[in-house]
Structure formats: C-alpha cells, structure tokens
Amino acid sequence: MTDQHTHRTIGEALDASGVSRRSFLKFCMVTASMLALPPSVGRVMAQQLRKAKRPSVIYLSFQECTGCLESFTRSFSPTAENLLFNVISLDYDDTLMAAAGSHAEAAREKAMKDNWGEYLVIIDGSVPMADGGVYNTAAGKTAHQTLMEVVEGAAAVVCVGTCASFGGIPYAHPNPTGAVPISELVTDKPVVNVPGCPPIPEVITSTLVHYVSLGKVPDLDEHGRPLAFFGNTIHDRCYRRPFFDQGKFAKSFDDEGARNGWCLYELGCKGPTTYNACATVKWNDGTSFPIESGHGCLGCSEPGFWDKGSFYKPLAAGTYTSAEKIAAAAGAGVLLGAGAAVASRMKRKSRLHETDREERS
Amino acid sequence: MNREHANPGSATKREVNVDGAMRSFAKSFGALNAFRVESCIHCGICADSCHFYHATEDPKYTPILKVEPLKQAYKREAGPLAPFFRWFGLKRRVTAEELEEWQELLYDSCTLCGRCSLICPMGIDVAALIEEGRRAMFEAGLAPKELYDRAEHEQRTGTPGPSEPGYREKLEAIGREHNVPIPLNHDSVNVMLCVFSLDLDRYPKQVAALAQVMHHLGESCTFRTESLLVDNDAYYAGSREWQRSISRRLIDQAVACGAKVVIVPECGHAYTALRWEAAELYGKKLPFRVLHIAEYLAEKLAEGKLKLNKTNGGSTTFHDPCQVVRKGGVMEAPRKLMDAMGVDLREMTSHEGFGLCCTGGGGVMLLERARPLHYRAVQEKMREVDATGAERLLTTCTGCRFNFDDAREHFDWDKTPQSLLELVAENLAEE
Amino acid sequence: MTLLDFARGPGMNFALAVFVLGVLWRLVGIALLNYWRPKSEPRQGWLRAMMGGALATGTRSWPHREFIGRTGYGELLGYSYHIGLFIVILFFAPHVAFFKGLFGVSWPAMPSTWIHLIAVLTLTLFIAVLVRRVTNRVLRRLSNFDDYFSWFATALVIVTGLMTTGHIGASYETLQAWHLLSVELLLVWFPFGKLMHAFFIFPSRAINGYLLSRKGAAS
C-alpha cells in the first residue's frame, strides 16, 4: 500500500501509480470541461496539478447522515481513490480513516500544525447551537468548538451537502437542535457551498479539483455555490421541458402522462426553482436523475427546501393555507359592510329629518 | 315646510342651496341607486346612445356625466367606503359652482328619453339617475325659470300658466266648434278624461278627436274641471313635492267621480308621471287603471268594441314617443291600431323601444336657450324619417308632434306630423 | 425568506384575506341599504318581470341592433380581452393547480401553447383598450385614477405572467415572485375600485331589467 505521504507532488504520485501523462491530461481536460472552463485551462490545470503538492484536507462531519460522504465515494471522474491517493492528502476523516479515537485526533492535530494556513477543510452536516451545542459532540468537544478550532488555520472551507451549506434537514421546522449552516459561523475564510441532498458525486470532486489545481475557489453564486454546477435550474436543462411548454402533465404517478414521460410539474416538481446539475451531469456516471426516473425534483439543493411546502404540491399551489384567516376576514368584511350600511342609513335619516316626513319615496 | 327657492335659473353662489341638493340626493340613496352608481365602469358607451352627443360630439353630453354630482354625494356620504372618499378627498364635495355648471347638462341637454338606460352594458338606468339629478337641482334652486314657473303655477292652480279664455272655456269651445259632446263634471263614471294644455291651443282637432271617439264608443266618461289638464311640469322641473300635488289633483278627482280608468291623452311625460310615478309619490297603488289613449283604443279594438275603416293616407312612418313606448311600455297598441286601419307602415331604422327621441321632450322645448342645441340634435331624427321614404309622419304624443312641427318651420321640412288619435277618429267605422 | 417564499405564502394569504374582506364589505354595505318596492301597477306579473330581468343579464352583453354601428367596436374590444383573460386565468395548467390548492376543485387545462397565444393576443387588446381610453374624447373626459390604476394592475399581471412563462427578464423564481406579487396587488386593489363591476354586473342588469320588464318597457 503506498504511503500517501511518500510522494511530495501530485505528478510524482501519478507517475508512481502508472498513470500516463496522456490519460492524466485527458482527465484534466474532462474536468475543465465539466467546470465549464475553456480547454486552455485544462492544460494549465494539468501543469499545475503535476507540480502541486497534494494539499492536506481535513474532513469534518457534524449533524449529517453520511449520505454526502457516500455520494463522494461514488464519483466516477475523478474516482474517489484517484482523488484520495493522487490529488489530495486526506489527513482526517472519521468515517474513512483506519485510525480511531485519540490516534485519529492526534493525526488531525499534526496535519493542522504541519500545514497551518494551507489546509482545506471539507465539512458535511450542520452545527447545533441550542443548549450549548450538546447535540453533536465528539472527543469531548462540541461541533461548534471543533469547527472553530479547525477552521482557524484553514485556507478555505468547502461545505458538502445542504446541511452544511444551508442547515438542511436538522434546520427544518422546528429545528430543535438549533442547527445552523457553516457559513453562519465561519465568516473570515472563503466558503464554498456544494449543496444537494446529497450533491452529485462529480460535483463534489470537480469542485475540489478546481481548488487544488487552480489555487482558488470557482466562481460562486449569491448562495456561495459554484456557478458551473449551480448556475442553471433543473427546469432550464430538463429534457421534459417541451412537455411543460406544451402543457402536457402527468396528473398522478403511473398514469398515462407519467408513462409517456410528460412533465411532472403537477406532481410537485420543484425544478423551476432549483439550481443544480442533475439534469445535465446526472447520477451514477450519467445514468439518470429523479425526473428521468419519474419523480419530481424535491429542490434539495435550495435553502429551506424541507419547509417550503409539500413535495407533491405544484409550485403554483403556494404555501398559504389558512382557511381560518380567510374566514375571519370574511366575517370582518360582513361586519364592516353592515356597519357602513347602518351608518349610511342613519346619515340619510338625519338628513331627511330636516325635510318633509310624508315623503317616503 | 318653508322652502325658500332662490330665483331659479339665475341663482348666485350665495343663493344656491347646496344643502337642499344634498338632502334630495340623500333621499334617493338606497340599495337600488347604490347599485346603479357603484356599477359605472366609465366605459362611455352611454354617449353613443344620446342624440345630443351625436349632434355635437362633445363629451360633456355623455349621459352618465350628468349625474356626477349625485355620484360624488353618494360616494362621500352613503357608500360603504364613504369615509375613505372623504378622508382622502377621492371625490370632491358638491359645490354651488358645480351645481350651476350642471344645470345645462341636466335640463338643456337631456330629454329624459331613456335611451342611455338601454345601452349601458352594466344595466344602469341612467335616465332614472338623471331624474334624481333634476330633483336635487330643484331643491338647490337651480331649476330653469320657465320650468319652475310652470310647475309652481300648476301645483298652485292646476294649470301651467294663466289663460285667457280659461282652459275650461277653451275645451267647451272646441266641443261646440267640432260638434262633439264634452262631458264635464259627471259623477259615477267609468273613465276620467283630461287634456294636454298645448292641445287646447294648438291641436284642438286632437281634443275633439278624443271626445268624439269616447262618444262613439259610448263610454261612460267625463272631464273634471278641477283636474282638467294632464300636464305635470313639476316632472320636468324636478320637484317631488309639486309633482305629487299635481298628480294628487288627478287622483282625487278620479276617486271623486268613481273612475276605474283614467285616460292620458296623446302626451308623453304625463303618461310617465301618472302611470308609473304617481303611485310612488302617492305611497300606494292607484285606485284606478291608467291608460294611454292608444292603449285604451287598442283594448277596445281587441274586445271588438272598436271597428276601424281602412285608410289610404299613403306610406307612413311612426315616431314612437319615448315616454309612452320606450319608458312607458305601450309597445304594441299603436301598431295594432295602424294595422287595423291598413296603414302602409315604413318603420324607421330605430323604432319601437329603441327609437330616436324627437329631441324636444323633457322640458327642452320650453327652454328658449336650449333651442339651438335642440335644432342641432333633431336633424338626426329628421334624416331617419326621410330615409324611410314615407309620405306621412304619424305619432301619438303632442309634445313630439309640436317638436316636429317646429322643425318643419325651422328647417323648411316637408313632413307634417299627424296624430294617431285623429287618424282613428277619422276612420271610425259605423256598425 | 426569499421573495418567492413570501409571495407564495404570507403575501398570498394577506391578499386573499383583504380581497374577501373588501368584497364582502362593499357588497353587504350596499345590500343592507334602504329598499324601495315599486307601488305602481305592473304591466307584467312578477314572474314575467323576473324572467325579463334574468334575460337582461345576458342580452346586455351585446348592444341592440340600433346601437351596433356606433358602439360595436368599443364593446367588442372590451369583451374580447375579458374573454382572453378568463381563458388564460381559468385554463392555464399552473393556474388550474393554483385553484386546486385554493378550492380543492380542478378542471381540465388547455394546451399551454394555445394559452400563450391567447395571452399575447389579450395583452395586445389590452393595450389597444388603453390607447382607446386616452384618445377617445368621451373616455378622456370620464376617466379617473381608478380607471388607469385598475388597468395598470391588470396589465402588470398579464405582463409578468408572460414574462414568467417565457422565462424572460430574470430568473424563473424571481419572475414567478413578481407575477404572484402583481396578482396580490390586484387582489388587494380589487374591492376598492371599479373591478368590483365583476360582482355588480349581474345584479345590476337583473334588477334594472326587472324594473323595466314590470313596466313592459324596453330593456
């Protein structure tokens, strides 16, 4: 087993693995293309990557389900192994690493000390803040404490998954643990959000490669998400869009419309308001994505997606529900109307009081 | 109740009784008029029905605009959102200046013909609102002098103005001249008769025709000196109170002589005033039927009691008087009579309930200053009459007849209006 | 909370509440005013008069023969955009979904392509109607803030709707938010302006039709 610390540069690591320059260049070009960068950047990427020292990466997991890490390991290009052994030096991940307990913590502290100011921190899961943060503790420290300690010497932070990016599932009403997204706590370092529940594997890995090879975070949208993958909505790229435009909708699962592959808008698809790469990059090396498999988009890469109303109610249906409020308004309207009529009649009477009483016309 | 009326027709700012107008508006506010006022969507379609707008293309003659002061008063005082209108000044307060400005719109340029009420897509009875507008103007002291004077004289004496000889004498003279009996002041009759003042002066043959036909039918009927005239100028002037007292005379006399029917001769506004509005002002259903002479004759025709000869007066067109036909509902009677007489009828493009007004009703012809506008408006009607190619123009309202006669003189027109009643009287078939 | 979340949620709730409150206020405020029962002897019995009134609610939708020459164009323009609006509002699939969310009942939608065409046509007619209002001398004389603002509020809904469905001008969720907000503006304004004619039109025609029919008068 190659010691991941042996080879100082990525180029050396790749040569040792027997990856030809040609196939490495190809990998870089593909990655550049996925990031919507021009081919010239691909070549730069290849040069830089070969020279680059494999950066130290510390992966922290807080209130999460580990789905994001699972997704990460299913990346096809680059593969997780490729990434782990050739591109980065994953110095701490409590799920993947062989060590445990105080040995694992010691490895983390050493990596931090050796690479202070240069290491990349990847985080999945939200941080609970209620009741002193007791709802997620490890090694005797709260998630909040661990986060602030580790991030202090980081060069950049990548939040993987909607929980880390926006709070995700723990953040949903009533949020009993007081979960917050990482960006609320880390304000003095560059933070990249890679949301999704989970994010697409290649989206995670390509973002990391971008950072490692070009030395900076990719262009981000107003939510801190890489524009390359989160710049369009699912709706913009959905192959079922013509059916939406024509008004051909599936009305229930497995009805005629569903079997004909019509648009899933009426079944609650949140594609029009969800930014992600599912419709283009897809899942399982481009096999499919939820809509293609017949289920509407849940909007899982958007802030607060869990609280935005039913997954199965169409976007047009809205999230207002209060029949009681409307009934109260109706009652108020009737009262106001009656009051106005009474006032009007009284005013009329008082005006007529001054004139002939016999006239009852 | 002492009501001080400023010199109408020339009220100054000081004298215009805005309060009186507001009280009059208030009286008219109820669910019905509220619906009407609230329904207006400013579509302007009513202008398309109004002969005054046709003649001038001046938007100020848009019918619904005539009731703007009423709308203002309603929205500020009686509507459900009234406080907003007052607090935010969304509608101006009705002022004396505004009422003075509106005098021309409500009197000079409206014949109360009711055509606007038929075109409104929201179903607003614009003419009814205009009548309310006139009532408010009257209370403000802004009824035009001619109308005011006639109404005042009539409510006081029963006649619209002094007459020498008296009206009764004129009536009796006509009876003598035309050799028809004039039953006067009989009691216990079936039918009470009356005359239109203008007929006594200008169209005595029409009066004679009335008496002649009633005599021919052997109807138990009478005129009553206390309610000889059917005129109701208070309807034009806009005085509720005086309109009621004038109608009251007729009602009381009809009751006094036990009449089951009161016949309105060939007159328009008198029919509206007695048939439809008198009961409202009286407070209950009238104790007798009111029939226009054409209605009465058509009934007799249907009963087989009236037989008519065929006439050969050439091709004829019929002018439907607005108050009798469109607003009054006497739709079929004139045509049944004409049919029975074999009249060669050429209908005008707009006829029956949708016919064009003679443009002289509503008191317009009594206003000297309104004449020029009337002459502009009447030409549309004249063109319609001419377009039928008919030789004879027939109608069943003296007001209309007079307007057409006046037009004939003013424009050197070749049509002379004839009376349907006179035609019937000329063609009574002996059994 | 994003703009869209607000527009779909509390904004819509508020607008619907104000709409219901205002409409009832205005209708009840009129319906409880003084009533007047006609006392004159009718020419037609009340049943025939009521039938006349019912008939008038329909027949007033088109001018009588004598009036068509002068008024046909204006009325046609007005009714055409109304019909266009009704079709788009009631039969566009996302709108059907909206009403289902509101009332629980739904009905078949029209193909969206037809709706797009009709919406564009409706907007064109709607602009023509404004042009007519500012150029026609009668309409210029009559028109006030209510007329222009009601037009504006409705036009905003049509324009934002077309922008949303055409995905032009901004991101989809922003466009949808604007469209919903414009609908909310319309709902809030509705009870206080001339748009209430939607509620007044049938009672007004029916009542006046009845009163004219009982006289046997033209209606």
Side-chain angles (χ1 to χ4, degrees):
Chain A
M1 196 62 151
T2 326
D3 176 1
Q4 61 172 338
H5 291 293
T6 305
H7 305 285
R8 307 222 86 221
T9 68
I10 293 174
E12 282 168 31
L14 287 169
D15 292 338
S17 315
V19 176
S20 72
R21 297 209 171 204
R22 196 194 179 82
S23 54
F24 177 63
L25 184 63
K26 192 167 156 201
F27 156 72
C28 289
M29 299 301 271
V30 167
T31 306
S33 160
M34 285 244 283
L35 287 162
L37 296 168
S40 51
V41 178
R43 281 187 281 277
V44 169
M45 208 184 254
Q47 282 170 343
Q48 301 286 79
L49 262 178
R50 286 198 65 82
K51 282 194 294 204
K53 193 172 80 115
R54 292 192 301 139
S56 169
V57 173
I58 294 174
Y59 197 119
L60 298 174
S61 297
F62 298 129
Q63 281 188 311
E64 40 78 49
C65 67
T66 316
C68 295
L69 185 65
E70 293 281 352
S71 179
F72 164 79
T73 62
R74 280 151 178 77
S75 176
F76 273 85
S77 174
T79 62
E81 296 85 353
N82 198 345
L83 204 66
L84 288 179
F85 292 117
N86 303 325
V87 182
I88 61 172
S89 174
L90 187 60
D91 293 330
Y92 179 85
D93 182 304
D94 51 29
T95 310
L96 294 177
M97 65 200 298
S102 50
H103 294 288
E105 297 307 304
R108 176 170 62 73
E109 277 152 27
K110 180 169 190 302
M112 282 171 65
K113 194 158 138 265
D114 288 347
N115 300 283
W116 190 259
E118 289 172 352
Y119 58 85
L120 189 67
V121 177
I122 305 180
I123 305 177
D124 61 10
S126 59
V127 174
M129 299 296 281
D131 298 328
V134 300
Y135 298 107
N136 187 292
T137 57
K141 293 204 198 115
T142 66
H144 185 209
Q145 281 172 309
T146 306
L147 173 71
M148 300 321 285
E149 264 178 39
V150 174
V151 156
E152 210 188 323
V157 176
V158 177
C159 300
V160 170
T162 302
C163 292
S165 304
F166 304 127
I169 310 281
Y171 184 79
H173 180 74
N175 194 354
T177 64
V180 298
I182 304 301
S183 50
E184 229 175 269
L185 300 168
V186 177
T187 50
D188 56 349
K189 304 280 176 184
V191 175
V192 179
N193 288 326
V194 184
C197 190
I200 295 172
E202 286 75 14
V203 170
I204 305 172
T205 52
S206 299
T207 306
L208 293 176
V209 170
H210 183 290
Y211 177 78
V212 170
S213 58
L214 297 175
K216 56 183 169 76
V217 305
D219 289 334
L220 305 174
D221 72 2
E222 77 269 18
H223 288 295
R225 305 176 291 198
L227 274 167
F229 298 110
F230 298 91
N232 288 139
T233 59
I234 307 297
H235 185 65
D236 288 335
R237 304 281 175 183
C238 181
Y239 78 105
R240 296 198 182 189
R241 183 65 179 278
F243 296 106
F244 172 86
D245 289 334
Q246 285 171 54
K248 290 197 161 104
F249 300 106
K251 306 251 178 240
S252 67
F253 290 114
D254 209 30
D255 75 349
E256 188 215 355
R259 282 190 236 154
N260 275 319
W262 289 354
C263 174
L264 300 167
Y265 182 90
E266 289 195 21
L267 290 168
C269 179
K270 302 297 182 291
T273 53
T274 305
Y275 291 85
N276 209 335
C278 311
T280 44
V281 177
K282 299 196 198 175
W283 298 78
N284 289 314
D285 199 21
T287 300
S288 182
F289 71 111
I291 290 163
E292 193 171 339
S293 302
H295 191 287
C297 166
L298 300 181
C300 71
S301 56
E302 294 299 313
F305 81 97
W306 193 265
D307 285 335
K308 281 195 200 208
S310 165
F311 288 146
Y312 299 102
K313 267 171 103 177
L315 269 171
T319 55
Y320 50 91
T321 41
S322 182
E324 305 84 38
K325 284 207 195 107
I326 306 288
V334 170
L335 283 172
L336 280 164
V342 166
S344 176
R345 289 174 82 130
M346 278 169 56
K347 181 148 198 185
R348 176 176 182 265
K349 220 177 181 168
S350 80
R351 269 218 189 271
L352 299 187
H353 186 78
E354 303 146 37
T355 189
D356 281 342
R357 304 279 190 99
E358 311 117 56
E359 292 186 288
R360 220 166 287 120
S361 176
Chain B
M1 173 75 203
N2 211 4
R3 195 172 285 114
E4 288 162 297
H5 289 288
N7 186 12
S10 60
T12 65
K13 231 181 303 201
R14 214 175 8 95
E15 296 162 344
V16 172
N17 188 355
V18 178
D19 239 13
M22 298 303 277
R23 279 200 299 276
S24 179
F25 283 142
K27 200 187 295 255
S28 74
F29 294 154
L32 179 62
N33 280 332
F35 255 116
R36 288 169 173 163
V37 172
E38 297 268 10
S39 294
C40 180
I41 48 170
H42 290 165
C43 70
I45 286 176
C46 48
D48 285 329
S49 68
C50 179
H51 42 265
F52 288 110
Y53 177 72
H54 293 177
T56 60
E57 300 279 313
D58 189 337
K60 75 177 179 182
Y61 294 125
T62 304
I64 200 66
L65 200 57
K66 295 179 194 300
V67 301
E68 184 59 25
L70 185 149
K71 275 187 177 181
Q72 280 167 244
Y74 166 81
K75 291 197 169 177
R76 283 180 66 96
E77 306 218 344
L81 302 174
F84 293 143
F85 280 93
R86 285 198 303 274
W87 299 337
F88 303 131
L90 301 175
K91 277 277 187 195
R92 294 177 331 244
R93 201 185 270 277
V94 176
T95 61
E97 288 85 11
E98 188 185 351
L99 290 174
E100 282 180 306
E101 205 189 320
W102 251 252
Q103 195 191 48
E104 184 224 340
L105 298 181
L106 283 163
Y107 289 103
D108 301 39
S109 58
C110 181
T111 53
L112 298 176
C113 80
R115 213 156 180 253
C116 45
S117 303
L118 296 181
I119 204 178
C120 174
M122 292 297 291
I124 300 170
D125 191 341
V126 185
L129 292 174
I130 293 174
E131 280 187 28
E132 294 296 348
R134 283 200 182 186
R135 288 178 176 155
M137 293 296 277
F138 183 89
E139 299 304 324
L142 285 170
K145 188 170 193 322
E146 296 95 321
L147 304 180
Y148 177 87
D149 287 344
R150 288 174 70 97
E152 195 281 323
H153 199 274
E154 211 187 328
Q155 61 89 28
R156 195 165 31 87
T157 69
T159 69
S163 172
E164 205 49 54
Y167 292 93
R168 178 188 171 152
E169 286 69 37
K170 286 187 195 171
L171 178 61
E172 287 174 320
I174 291 171
R176 287 191 298 273
E177 255 172 69
H178 291 83
N179 201 22
V180 282
I182 304 287
L184 205 49
N185 293 327
H186 295 180
D187 291 320
S188 306
V189 293
N190 249 351
V191 173
M192 190 178 90
L193 302 170
C194 35
V195 286
F196 184 38
S197 61
L198 194 55
D199 286 340
L200 290 172
D201 293 324
R202 260 192 89 110
Y203 303 111
K205 212 164 148 225
Q206 203 170 302
V207 181
L210 176 65
Q212 183 192 342
V213 162
M214 298 307 290
H215 178 71
H216 173 87
L217 288 168
E219 184 68 82
S220 138
C221 58
T222 188
F223 291 90
R224 302 280 293 187
T225 43
E226 286 302 307
S227 65
L228 205 51
L229 299 182
V230 80
D231 309 34
N232 199 326
D233 290 87
Y235 171 74
Y236 291 150
S239 169
R240 256 193 208 89
E241 198 190 324
W242 291 354
Q243 186 180 334
R244 181 174 61 232
S245 54
I246 293 168
S247 293
R248 234 358 240 272
R249 249 193 209 95
L250 282 162
I251 296 171
D252 289 342
Q253 288 300 308
V255 168
C257 70
K260 299 193 186 50
V261 175
V262 173
I263 291 184
V264 174
E266 288 189 322
C267 180
H269 79 277
Y271 186 70
T272 297
L274 191 62
R275 176 68 178 91
W276 297 116
E277 298 202 359
E280 314 306 335
L281 298 170
Y282 185 51
K284 54 185 192 237
K285 195 170 111 138
L286 298 179
F288 47 82
R289 291 176 70 205
V290 176
L291 291 174
H292 187 267
I293 182 64
E295 274 185 284
Y296 173 81
L297 292 173
E299 264 186 21
K300 295 298 169 201
L301 188 71
E303 287 167 16
K305 297 202 176 103
L306 176 69
K307 298 233 185 306
L308 296 169
N309 292 326
K310 300 287 181 203
T311 172
N312 53 356
S315 56
T316 305
T317 187
F318 184 74
H319 163 72
D320 294 278
C322 307
Q323 305 291 339
V324 179
V325 182
R326 174 174 23 261
K327 291 169 77 173
V330 182
M331 299 273 180
E332 300 163 347
R335 282 166 180 79
K336 286 214 167 77
L337 292 169
M338 285 190 279
D339 201 47
M341 291 188 284
V343 167
D344 173 17
L345 185 61
R346 313 277 173 92
E347 296 280 19
M348 289 182 252
T349 324
S350 314
H351 61 272
E352 235 174 289
F354 290 84
L356 268 174
C357 182
C358 69
T359 76
V364 164
M365 282 308 269
L366 295 167
L367 302 178
E368 202 52 53
R369 70 183 190 209
R371 287 292 178 97
L373 183 62
H374 157 72
Y375 286 135
R376 287 173 76 182
V378 77
Q379 292 174 61
E380 188 185 358
K381 182 72 189 189
M382 290 163 63
R383 281 196 294 273
E384 252 203 11
V385 171
D386 290 339
T388 64
E391 296 155 304
R392 170 168 63 186
L393 170 61
L394 207 58
T395 190
T396 188
C397 163
T398 292
C400 303
R401 191 180 179 188
F402 174 75
N403 290 327
F404 289 129
D405 256 339
D406 184 76
R408 179 174 53 81
E409 282 166 24
H410 185 84
F411 290 100
D412 211 14
W413 194 28
D414 65 347
K415 301 287 187 305
T416 303
Q418 313 279 358
S419 147
L420 179 63
L421 173 60
E422 283 177 30
L423 192 66
V424 166
E426 280 162 27
N427 291 289
L428 295 169
E430 301 305 326
E431 305 289 322
Chain C
M1 179 181 278
T2 66
L3 194 65
L4 180 60
D5 289 335
F6 173 78
R8 291 177 73 206
M12 184 60 73
N13 226 338
F14 175 75
L16 286 169
V18 171
F19 174 77
V20 166
L21 181 140
V23 166
L24 283 169
W25 177 358
R26 203 149 161 201
L27 287 178
V28 171
I30 294 168
L32 292 183
L33 291 176
N34 300 85
Y35 278 88
W36 156 81
R37 195 176 267 127
K39 297 173 194 70
S40 54
E41 187 189 329
R43 191 184 297 278
Q44 304 207 89
W46 64 268
L47 186 63
R48 296 198 74 170
M50 291 192 95
M51 279 163 56
L55 198 67
T57 62
T59 58
R60 280 301 171 111
S61 291
W62 190 241
H64 209 264
R65 191 178 45 84
E66 289 84 353
F67 299 133
I68 292 177
R70 287 191 76 97
T71 204
Y73 169 68
E75 287 216 41
L76 192 63
L77 205 61
Y79 285 122
S80 301
Y81 81 71
H82 274 84
I83 292 170
L85 278 175
F86 287 146
I87 292 177
V88 172
I89 292 171
L90 293 177
F91 294 106
F92 185 44
H95 295 165
V96 176
F98 174 81
F99 288 122
K100 179 149 186 235
L102 198 54
F103 299 122
V105 286
S106 75
W107 49 86
M110 270 175 79
S112 301
T113 348
W114 295 11
I115 299 288
H116 299 330
L117 278 169
I118 292 172
V120 171
L121 202 68
T122 301
L123 183 63
T124 314
L125 290 168
F126 207 60
I127 292 170
V129 145
L130 181 70
V131 168
R132 184 162 179 270
R133 187 165 280 278
V134 296
T135 56
N136 180 296
R137 58 173 81 85
V138 170
L139 289 170
R140 256 211 312 267
R141 178 68 183 79
L142 287 177
S143 301
N144 58 9
F145 170 80
D146 186 354
D147 300 301
Y148 293 117
F149 189 74
S150 298
W151 183 92
F152 169 74
T154 311
L156 203 62
V157 172
I158 306 175
V159 168
T160 53
L162 279 168
M163 283 172 72
T164 308
T165 209
H167 295 68
I168 41 171
S171 67
Y172 186 82
E173 65 266 25
T174 308
L175 292 170
Q176 181 162 16
W178 289 350
H179 184 55
L180 287 172
L181 288 169
S182 69
V183 169
E184 282 150 36
L185 176 69
L186 191 71
L187 284 172
V188 164
W189 168 246
F190 193 107
F192 303 104
K194 74 186 233 187
L195 290 167
M196 279 295 285
H197 76 276
F199 288 98
F200 291 136
I201 186 165
F202 293 118
S204 184
R205 288 180 179 182
I207 292 168
N208 285 297
Y210 168 80
L211 289 172
L212 291 171
S213 283
R214 75 181 290 280
K215 293 199 290 181
S219 73

